[in-house]
Amino acid sequence: MTATAPSPESILQTGFAFLASKTLLSAVEMEVFTELAGRPEDLETLTGRLGLHPRSARDFLDALVALGFLERHDGKYANTPSTDLFLDKHKPSYIGGILEMVNARSYGHWNHLTTALRTGQQQNEVAHGDPEVFSALYADPARLRTFLRAMTGVSRGANLAIAAKFPWAEYKTVADCGPAQGDLLTQVCLKNPHLTGLGFDLPEVAPIFEEYIQANGLANRVRFQPGNFFRDPLPHAEVIMMGHILHDWNLEEKRQLIRKAYEALPAGGAFLAYDALIDDDRSKNAFGLMMSLHMLIETPGGFDYTGADCVGWMKDAGFRKTRVEHLVGPDSMVVGIK
Amino acid sequence: MTATAPSPESILQTGFAFLASKTLLSAVEMEVFTELAGRPEDLETLTGRLGLHPRSARDFLDALVALGFLERHDGKYANTPSTDLFLDKHKPSYIGGILEMVNARSYGHWNHLTTALRTGQQQNEVAHGDPEVFSALYADPARLRTFLRAMTGVSRGANLAIAAKFPWAEYKTVADCGPAQGDLLTQVCLKNPHLTGLGFDLPEVAPIFEEYIQANGLANRVRFQPGNFFRDPLPHAEVIMMGHILHDWNLEEKRQLIRKAYEALPAGGAFLAYDALIDDDRSKNAFGLMMSLHMLIETPGGFDYTGADCVGWMKDAGFRKTRVEHLVGPDSMVVGIK
C-alpha cells in the first residue's frame, strides 16, 4: 500500500474507509439485499419497503451501486450475484450474521480503540467486569444465535478449505471444540462420508448446533457433547479442531487448551487450530494484526498470533510434528501431530 | 468491485474496512507519525513515549506496518515517506487535521447512519437543534481552528490542481467564499503572482485565515473580508470560488449561493465551485455519494450533487457558459461564466 512517491491518497482512502463499511453494514441491518433477492425494485418502492427517508434514499442506494454491492438498470435496483448469494437472509449461504454483529457491536466498540491501546483493557459492554467473557453472550439465546450464525459466516471459506485439503482419509473421528453452529464439522463431514463428528461446547449451544446439523442432514453422524473446555477434559477423537478459538484467550489459557487437546488425542492424532494467523514477520497480514486489536477490545486477555508462535506452544505441549498451511483470505491453520 | 464469480471477499473486506480506518485514526490521534518524524524508534521507546499499554503496543504498530503506514527495520519503527510528509504535525504538509476531526466526530456519528437513513435527520451533537449548523463550531476557537485546518488537509490536492489548470491569466482578482485557512487562495496566488485575492467568511475566521496567509508570505496580496454569505452580498471579484461549500446546504440555499455569486461577478467573470462531485450516472463516485450521506449525518439539509445538477442550477441563475472538470481524487470543479 505504500506509494512510490509520497502521496496522501492511501492515507485519505484508509482514513475514510469506515464510510463504505458503515454504508454496507447499515444495508445489511436494513435487509436491503434480502428485500431485493431475485426481484429488482425502483427507488420509490424500495424507499417504502425499507423504511428509508426520501432525503437520502437515492444517495444510499446509489452508493451501494458505486461500491459494487447493487446494480441499477433502467431505474431498478438489483442485487449483484455476490450480494444475492451471501446477503439474502433466506439463503443458507447468508454470511450477513457477522456483519449484523459487527454493525450492532464492534463498529461502536472500536470508537474506543485509543482508550484500549492506552489501558490494555477491553472496551465492550463487559469492560472491567465479568472475566467470563462469553457468559453474558451465552445467557441470551437470541444474541447467542446471532453470534454463532455470525461465526459461520466468517468461517465458511476456511471450513470449506479444511474439508478439502486436510488428509481426512487417515482418520475416522473428529471433534470440534467451540463449534458454533457446527459449520466446520458440517463441511468436513459432507465432504468426507466416512467420518463421524462431535461438537463440544457449553450446553446453551446444543439446540442451535443440533438444528444446524439436522438441517444439513448429518444428525446420524454428528452429535453434540456439552462441556466447558477449561473445566472439563476435551472429548476423545482422532482429530481435535479449534477454529477462531485460541485467539480469544490469553497466553496461559491458549497453552492450557493446547495441552488439553494433546491429552485427549491418541498417538498419531491431529490437533488442528485455525485463526487469522499473523505472518511470522508480523508485517503482512494486516487483518490478523487488527483481529488481535479486536481481541483487545472484546476480551480481557485475547490476542492473535503467528504460525511460529503456535508451533512453539504445540511443541511445548508435546506434539512431535507440526505444520502451518494457508486456508483462504486471512485464515491459516496450524496442525500438530501427537 | 464486483467479482466475476460470486465471492464473499469484497463483502467481508468492506464490512471490516473500519478496522483499518480506526487503526490509522487512532495513530493520528496518538501522534505516532509526529513522534517518529525523522527518527526511527524501537518498540519499548515508542510504547513509553506514546503512552501505549504493553498488551497491544506491538500489534498496533505492526498493524500500521502491514497497512503500509509505517516501516520496520531491525526492530525499529519508522514513518514511510508518505506518512512522514503528510502526518507529521510539525510539517506544513500535514493533512492529519481532517483525520483528527473524523476520529473525534465523524466515526462516532456514522454509528447512527441507519437512524439518519430512516429519519432524514442529522446525527451529530446539534441533531434536532440549532439550524445554524456552523454556529456552535464557529463559537469555539479551538474547534474552529481544528476544523479549518482539517479542511486544508482534505482540499490541498484539489487546490493545487485549480491553481495549475484554471486559466488564471485571464483574470486579476479572485475571492474565495468560505475559504477556511485560505489554502485555495494561497495555492492559486503562489502559482499566479499577478492575482490579488480576498477571503470572505464569518469574522471568527479572520485570525486563522490571516495567520495562514501571512505564513505563506501573501499578506500583501490576499486580505480577509468578514461577512455572512447568506445575509450579505458576496464580494466583487472576477473569479468567485466555493470549495466544499455548496454540499453543506439544501437545494434552495445552494441556488441562493449560486445566484449571489452571479450577482457579484462582472460580465465575463467566472464562478468556480468544487466538491466531491457525484458522476452524472450516480454509479461510480462512491466517495461523492457517501459524502452526501455524510452531509445527511452532519447537516440539516446538505447533500452532494452531480456536475449536471450544478450546471442546471448555474444556467437557471443566468450563467451563459458552464463546464465540469475533474481535479484530483474524488473532487471535480464546475465553472460558470457570466
Side-chain angles (χ1 to χ4, degrees):
Chain A
M1 287 185 60
T2 1
T4 45
S7 146
E9 279 304 301
S10 81
I11 292 168
L12 291 173
Q13 263 169 26
T14 300
F16 282 95
F18 71 93
L19 302 180
S21 272
K22 195 62 184 69
T23 301
L24 176 61
L25 296 176
S26 281
V28 170
E29 179 187 0
M30 298 178 93
E31 304 189 3
V32 171
F33 309 103
T34 303
E35 174 62 33
L36 285 174
R39 185 187 59 240
E41 288 175 11
D42 63 20
L43 175 63
E44 198 185 343
T45 308
L46 266 181
T47 302
R49 289 273 180 89
L50 298 174
L52 288 165
H53 189 277
R55 176 175 171 194
S56 288
R58 194 158 72 116
D59 289 340
F60 177 52
L61 296 167
D62 287 344
L64 291 167
V65 171
L67 290 168
F69 299 121
L70 290 180
E71 297 173 357
R72 194 192 60 220
H73 304 289
D74 304 325
K76 291 203 168 189
Y77 295 90
N79 286 341
T80 65
S82 297
T83 55
D84 203 61
L85 185 61
F86 296 113
L87 294 179
D88 168 14
K89 264 195 156 157
H90 300 313
K91 293 198 176 74
S93 48
Y94 181 70
I95 58 159
I98 185 68
L99 301 181
E100 291 174 47
M101 193 178 78
V102 155
N103 182 57
R105 295 168 43 82
S106 316
Y107 181 92
H109 297 164
W110 268 71
N111 203 16
H112 307 290
L113 174 62
T114 304
T115 306
L117 289 169
R118 291 199 192 284
T119 63
Q121 293 186 326
Q122 70 186 119
Q123 298 296 317
N124 59 12
E125 59 284 283
V126 295
H128 325 308
D130 195 341
E132 295 269 333
V133 59
F134 291 107
S135 59
L137 185 61
Y138 278 59
D140 176 345
R143 246 185 85 200
L144 179 59
R145 182 177 295 268
T146 301
F147 174 68
L148 299 184
R149 199 174 172 180
M151 290 304 104
T152 299
V154 81
S155 306
R156 171 67 52 77
N159 296 348
L160 288 167
I162 291 169
K165 75 197 295 184
F166 189 80
W168 290 111
E170 301 171 20
Y171 306 95
K172 289 196 291 282
T173 57
V174 51
D176 192 10
C177 300
Q181 285 184 299
D183 190 67
L184 174 54
L185 281 169
T186 295
Q187 303 311 328
V188 164
C189 290
L190 285 175
K191 181 92 178 172
N192 301 278
H194 68 285
L195 290 173
T196 58
L198 186 150
F200 180 79
D201 208 327
L202 299 176
E204 295 90 327
V205 176
I208 299 166
F209 179 91
E210 283 162 356
E211 177 188 288
Y212 191 83
I213 295 299
Q214 193 132 28
N216 282 283
L218 290 167
N220 59 333
R221 285 199 284 139
V222 180
R223 66 186 181 84
F224 187 83
Q225 178 181 322
N228 176 313
F229 55 40
F230 286 115
R231 293 191 204 134
D232 305 314
L234 301 190
H236 291 289
E238 292 168 3
V239 181
I240 292 179
M241 310 189 288
M242 294 185 188
H244 297 141
I245 297 293
L246 289 181
H247 79 152
D248 290 335
W249 308 101
N250 70 27
L251 180 58
E252 184 38 49
E253 291 161 337
K254 284 177 167 70
R255 287 186 176 275
Q256 190 182 344
L257 290 173
I258 294 170
R259 275 197 305 269
K260 292 181 82 158
Y262 184 84
E263 287 159 12
L265 286 169
F271 176 46
L272 186 169
Y274 82 84
D275 262 311
L277 286 192
I278 299 167
D279 57 295
D280 287 347
D281 188 47
R282 298 175 57 87
S283 63
K284 290 168 204 74
N285 189 349
F287 189 80
L289 287 155
M290 293 189 296
M291 265 302 106
S292 200
L293 298 178
H294 190 53
M295 291 303 109
L296 164 70
I297 284 173
E298 294 287 350
T299 72
F303 62 92
D304 285 73
Y305 50 92
T306 66
D309 292 334
C310 191
V311 160
W313 305 325
M314 283 184 176
K315 292 200 164 150
D316 290 347
F319 287 97
R320 60 184 173 86
K321 288 202 299 187
T322 59
R323 67 177 190 273
V324 179
E325 271 183 68
H326 180 247
L327 294 169
V328 67
D331 279 326
S332 297
M333 68 177 172
V334 189
V335 178
I337 307 292
K338 179 166 174 177
Chain B
M1 288 185 59
T2 1
T4 46
S7 146
E9 280 303 300
S10 81
I11 293 169
L12 291 173
Q13 262 169 25
T14 300
F16 282 96
F18 70 93
L19 302 180
S21 271
K22 195 61 184 68
T23 302
L24 175 60
L25 295 176
S26 282
V28 171
E29 179 187 0
M30 300 177 92
E31 305 189 2
V32 172
F33 309 102
T34 303
E35 175 62 32
L36 285 174
R39 186 188 56 240
E41 289 175 9
D42 64 20
L43 175 64
E44 197 184 345
T45 308
L46 266 181
T47 301
R49 290 271 180 90
L50 298 173
L52 289 165
H53 189 278
R55 177 175 169 195
S56 287
R58 194 160 72 117
D59 289 339
F60 176 53
L61 296 167
D62 287 343
L64 291 168
V65 171
L67 290 167
F69 299 122
L70 290 179
E71 297 173 358
R72 195 191 59 220
H73 303 289
D74 304 324
K76 291 204 168 189
Y77 296 90
N79 286 340
T80 66
S82 297
T83 54
D84 203 62
L85 185 59
F86 296 112
L87 295 179
D88 168 14
K89 265 196 156 157
H90 300 312
K91 293 198 177 75
S93 49
Y94 181 69
I95 58 160
I98 185 69
L99 301 180
E100 291 174 46
M101 193 177 79
V102 155
N103 182 58
R105 297 168 42 82
S106 316
Y107 180 92
H109 297 164
W110 269 71
N111 202 16
H112 306 291
L113 174 63
T114 303
T115 305
L117 290 168
R118 292 201 192 284
T119 63
Q121 293 186 327
Q122 69 187 118
Q123 300 295 317
N124 59 11
E125 59 285 285
V126 295
H128 324 309
D130 195 343
E132 296 265 337
V133 59
F134 290 106
S135 59
L137 185 61
Y138 278 59
D140 176 343
R143 245 184 84 200
L144 179 59
R145 183 177 295 267
T146 302
F147 174 69
L148 298 184
R149 199 175 172 181
M151 290 304 104
T152 298
V154 81
S155 306
R156 171 67 53 76
N159 296 348
L160 288 168
I162 290 170
K165 75 197 297 186
F166 188 81
W168 290 110
E170 303 171 20
Y171 306 96
K172 289 197 290 282
T173 57
V174 52
D176 192 10
C177 299
Q181 286 185 299
D183 189 68
L184 175 54
L185 282 170
T186 296
Q187 303 311 329
V188 164
C189 290
L190 285 176
K191 182 92 177 173
N192 301 276
H194 67 287
L195 290 173
T196 57
L198 185 151
F200 180 78
D201 208 328
L202 298 177
E204 294 90 327
V205 176
I208 299 166
F209 179 91
E210 283 163 357
E211 178 187 286
Y212 192 83
I213 294 299
Q214 193 132 28
N216 282 283
L218 290 167
N220 58 333
R221 286 199 284 138
V222 180
R223 66 186 179 86
F224 187 82
Q225 179 182 322
N228 177 314
F229 55 40
F230 287 115
R231 295 193 202 133
D232 304 313
L234 300 191
H236 292 289
E238 291 169 2
V239 181
I240 292 178
M241 311 189 287
M242 292 186 189
H244 297 142
I245 296 294
L246 289 181
H247 79 150
D248 289 335
W249 307 100
N250 71 27
L251 180 57
E252 184 39 47
E253 291 160 337
K254 283 177 168 69
R255 287 186 177 275
Q256 190 182 344
L257 290 172
I258 294 170
R259 274 197 306 270
K260 292 180 83 158
Y262 184 84
E263 286 158 13
L265 286 169
F271 176 46
L272 186 169
Y274 82 82
D275 262 312
L277 286 191
I278 299 168
D279 58 295
D280 288 347
D281 188 48
R282 297 176 56 87
S283 64
K284 288 166 206 76
N285 188 349
F287 188 80
L289 287 155
M290 294 189 295
M291 266 300 108
S292 200
L293 297 178
H294 190 53
M295 291 303 108
L296 164 70
I297 285 172
E298 294 287 350
T299 72
F303 61 93
D304 285 72
Y305 50 91
T306 65
D309 292 334
C310 192
V311 159
W313 304 327
M314 284 184 177
K315 290 199 165 149
D316 291 346
F319 287 97
R320 61 184 173 83
K321 288 203 299 190
T322 60
R323 65 177 192 275
V324 179
E325 272 183 69
H326 180 248
L327 294 169
V328 68
D331 280 327
S332 297
M333 66 175 172
V334 189
V335 177
I337 306 292
K338 179 166 173 176

